[in-house]
Amino acid sequence: MKIRLLLLAVAWFAADSLSAVAADWPQWRGPQRNGISDERGLLKQWPADGPKLVWQAKEIGDGYSTPSVVGDRLYLMSNKGMDDEFVLALGTKDGQRIWSQRVGKVGPNSALQYPAARSTPTVDGALLFALGSDGDLACLETASGKVVWQKNLRSDFGGKPGAWAYSESPLVDGDLLVCTPGGKEATLVALNKKTGETVWKCSTPEADQANYASIIVVNAAGRKQYVQFLSKGLVGVDAKTGVLLWRYDKSAKGSTANIPTPVAHQSFVYNSTGRGGALLELTSGGGQVEAKEVYFLPKLPSSIGGSVEVGGKLFGTNSQSLMCADFTTGEVKWQNRCVGAGSVCYADGLIYVHGENGDMALVEATPEAYREQGRFTLPDQPDRGKSLAWPYPVIADGKLYIRDLGMLWCYDVKAK
């Protein structure tokens, strides 16, 4: 009997621990970098005026960074003017400031559009990793914001950012911190996350500039790979050595900005720009990894708000509509104007859409038909000038977090 009770207690503790982990959103696009939350017990339909607003923070600085949420704190990047770009820690209970830490200045913006903080911090236990738009890469203590180590991608690695400065959110994978300086010296680089020391560098023959997507981990064709969308194409790099395994350039041709983070499912990788969406199948042959194009179609999710794969279906927006398509064939199942172009995430059977117009929508993640379960307009929206509401929505511990420049909203979306 004692053994049985002990086993039950261990099982309960493990389930409780897993639930706590699942409730966090510790990095760009969530726990697995795919825009998906494992949370359950969320509202299946919103009231007419939207879910309950828990709090609204108005003094967070400017920027497009989405929050990372771990435990009772959230972290994001902001800037005040062009000389002060910083990481900010807030309490999830009330949005009050806990600490802030400057990492550098706002990066040079040769496009002369939308200069501001862009990257989402990556939280890994007691440490946090943040990349400023000028290439300032910082490792901070989550408790206090104290700097542990710091590098600059341009000065330390000869980095070459795109016209809109650095926008990547760094990847933590085991003992490694992986990011994209761009340029011929170190297009991609892996560092020891505790010390900042270089483990390997990958230089692509094309000396690609860094663009605006973030690296994901893909296990396919018998190899663990880091997949990244660079200025001239999509690449796969061996995770252990940094050796370039493959590249695919078609989707990047004619694109002025390669922004959406790739979406991986089994041996497939979905990659998109404003020109359309491409699916690649990664296979092995003769000791090499090959990236075979399955399709390249213009009328698939392609907006900068990214896509999610759920049950073999792809959900995302183009410039006009939210749509659902078969992931492996590209066949469109349905599309609807919804809130127009927007950014998406998934939780508990539902797609959350933050429209570039500032509206939020809740839609069933089903291929059968478009089924909207709620919509509301965020209050007290900022004056964006020529920019749009680009930050991605975040789901963590029954809360929906939405950022728009200097504003941050927290909504309760837990079912009662």
Side-chain angles (χ1 to χ4, degrees):
M1 176 63 72
K2 290 182 178 180
I3 294 175
R4 187 177 182 182
L5 289 173
L6 178 62
L7 291 173
L8 286 171
V10 170
W12 174 86
F13 178 78
D16 186 65
S17 299
L18 288 172
S19 176
V21 171
D24 289 337
W25 190 278
Q27 62 175 330
W28 170 244
R29 303 205 75 207
Q32 304 301 321
R33 288 205 159 203
N34 57 6
I36 292 176
S37 168
D38 291 329
E39 285 199 52
R40 299 291 185 270
L42 303 179
L43 289 171
K44 297 297 185 183
Q45 189 173 41
W46 288 340
D49 56 352
K52 178 184 177 181
L53 178 63
V54 181
W55 52 258
Q56 180 179 349
K58 301 180 180 180
E59 302 295 333
I60 63 170
D62 289 328
Y64 304 101
S65 166
T66 62
S68 292
V69 186
V70 177
D72 61 359
R73 293 188 183 186
L74 66 85
Y75 309 86
L76 47 76
M77 296 196 73
S78 294
N79 67 283
K80 290 185 177 179
M82 296 297 101
D83 293 322
D84 185 12
E85 188 166 344
F86 55 92
V87 178
L88 182 63
L90 305 177
T92 58
K93 181 180 179 180
D94 51 16
Q96 293 299 304
R97 180 178 301 218
I98 298 172
W99 58 255
S100 65
Q101 175 63 57
R102 182 181 184 272
V103 297
K105 62 183 181 179
V106 175
N109 192 309
S110 60
L112 301 178
Q113 293 175 310
Y114 327 120
R118 306 172 182 283
S119 304
T120 295
T122 301
V123 183
D124 181 48
L127 299 177
L128 174 151
F129 302 89
L131 177 62
S133 59
D134 197 34
D136 295 293
L137 179 64
C139 172
L140 311 178
E141 294 179 355
T142 55
S144 64
K146 179 182 177 182
V147 177
V148 178
W149 58 260
Q150 193 162 7
K151 301 278 186 180
N152 183 276
L153 300 190
R154 295 198 298 156
S155 59
D156 291 319
F157 302 103
K160 300 294 183 182
W164 285 275
Y166 284 105
S167 300
E168 176 187 20
S169 302
L171 168 71
V172 172
D173 182 34
D175 294 329
L176 298 181
L177 176 73
V178 191
C179 59
T180 313
K184 62 181 180 180
E185 180 183 332
T187 317
L188 280 76
V189 66
L191 308 177
N192 182 306
K193 70 179 183 182
K194 295 181 179 179
T195 66
E197 295 179 358
T198 302
V199 177
W200 54 251
K201 298 178 182 179
C202 173
S203 301
T204 62
E206 288 77 7
D208 299 75
Q209 289 182 335
N211 250 223
Y212 316 105
S214 295
I215 297 169
I216 63 170
V217 179
V218 177
N219 289 286
R223 306 284 283 272
K224 182 179 180 181
Q225 308 168 39
Y226 298 135
V227 174
Q228 174 63 305
F229 199 12
L230 302 168
S231 62
K232 300 176 183 177
L234 187 73
V235 300
V237 172
D238 185 87
K240 289 184 178 180
T241 65
V243 171
L244 181 66
L245 300 175
W246 56 268
R247 70 177 295 135
Y248 175 77
D249 296 341
K250 186 174 179 179
S251 56
K253 290 180 179 178
S255 171
T256 57
N258 299 334
I259 298 175
T261 294
V263 177
H265 174 57
Q266 298 175 347
S267 60
F268 299 95
V269 177
Y270 180 78
N271 165 233
S272 65
T273 65
R275 299 179 59 243
L279 187 73
L280 307 179
E281 183 176 14
L282 304 182
T283 60
S284 59
Q288 304 295 317
V289 178
E290 298 178 4
K292 177 184 177 182
E293 181 184 285
V294 179
Y295 60 71
F296 182 86
L297 299 170
K299 297 182 179 180
L300 287 179
S302 57
S303 73
I304 67 176
S307 306
V308 293
E309 180 278 324
V310 181
K313 302 298 182 287
L314 185 72
F315 296 88
T317 70
N318 58 18
S319 61
Q320 297 179 330
S321 305
L322 175 70
M323 66 176 64
C324 171
D326 188 274
F327 189 80
T328 55
T329 67
E331 178 189 0
V332 175
K333 298 298 183 180
W334 55 255
Q335 60 182 4
N336 186 280
R337 175 63 186 169
C338 188
V339 292
S343 50
V344 300
C345 71
Y346 165 90
D348 201 12
L350 297 159
I351 303 295
Y352 293 73
V353 191
H354 181 207
E356 292 181 353
N357 62 0
D359 289 347
M360 278 295 308
L362 187 69
V363 180
E364 286 187 23
T366 174
E368 296 176 2
Y370 176 82
R371 296 171 182 164
E372 187 173 307
Q373 298 301 327
R375 182 189 300 208
F376 69 98
T377 298
L378 293 156
D380 304 322
Q381 294 184 34
D383 180 1
R384 305 186 195 95
K386 294 182 179 180
S387 69
L388 299 171
W390 286 314
Y392 286 35
V394 165
I395 302 292
D397 196 24
K399 303 295 192 298
L400 166 65
Y401 297 93
I402 310 162
R403 197 252 179 92
D404 191 353
L405 294 179
M407 309 289 277
L408 179 67
W409 297 267
C410 173
Y411 288 89
D412 184 357
V413 292
K414 190 177 296 183
K416 306 305 179 186

